[in-house]
Amino acid sequence: MPVANPVRPLTAGGLDSSWDRKLGRGPIQPDVTIDLHGLTLAMAHDRLNGGIAQALAMGARVILLIAGKHRPVPENDLRGEKRGAIRAKLLDWLAASPHAGRIASVRPAQPRHGGDGAVYIVLRKAR
């Protein structure tokens, strides 16, 4: 039986200080943008995996992923809507993705690229 890759924290490490500066406040320009707004969880998961595969095929290094803000809903909310459900699942999806080994880091996006409603996915160089 094949051994599963261990899930590693995608937000820690993986980048040097120049990347940290660029992502934090520098002149970062995403190579690809993936927008998950308005999709069901299943559709968003499929679009995320397909978008990462396409970005890797293009040789992209930075993906801007627009997923919306994480907004937990109290259990007593009678509307039954789970706002921020895609954002809540995002790191789990990325860690379990077939592309997890090619993801160097996931970082918050700059305000001009969506701020709290978006993240940058930095991909490792192909070897």
Side-chain angles (χ1 to χ4, degrees), residues 25-123:
R25 61 192 180 298
I28 195 73
Q29 193 60 37
D31 300 309
V32 174
T33 299
I34 302 171
D35 190 347
L36 304 180
H37 272 117
L39 302 178
T40 65
L41 286 174
M43 290 170 54
H45 191 208
D46 289 344
R47 181 169 293 171
L48 175 63
N49 282 330
I52 293 173
Q54 184 177 13
L56 289 167
M58 293 171 40
R61 289 295 309 275
V62 179
I63 298 171
L64 174 64
L65 179 69
I66 302 168
K69 295 180 181 181
H70 179 65
R71 298 179 185 166
V73 176
E75 289 183 30
N76 60 354
D77 186 348
L78 299 177
R79 293 176 298 164
E81 296 177 15
K82 293 190 177 188
R83 298 192 54 152
I86 292 172
R87 185 59 179 261
K89 297 246 183 223
L90 185 60
L91 289 179
D92 291 336
W93 287 348
L94 291 172
S97 163
H99 312 293
R102 295 292 307 275
I103 298 172
S105 188
V106 177
R107 299 289 171 88
Q110 296 174 359
R112 66 188 172 112
H113 287 140
D116 292 339
V119 296
Y120 298 121
I121 300 173
V122 182
L123 302 172

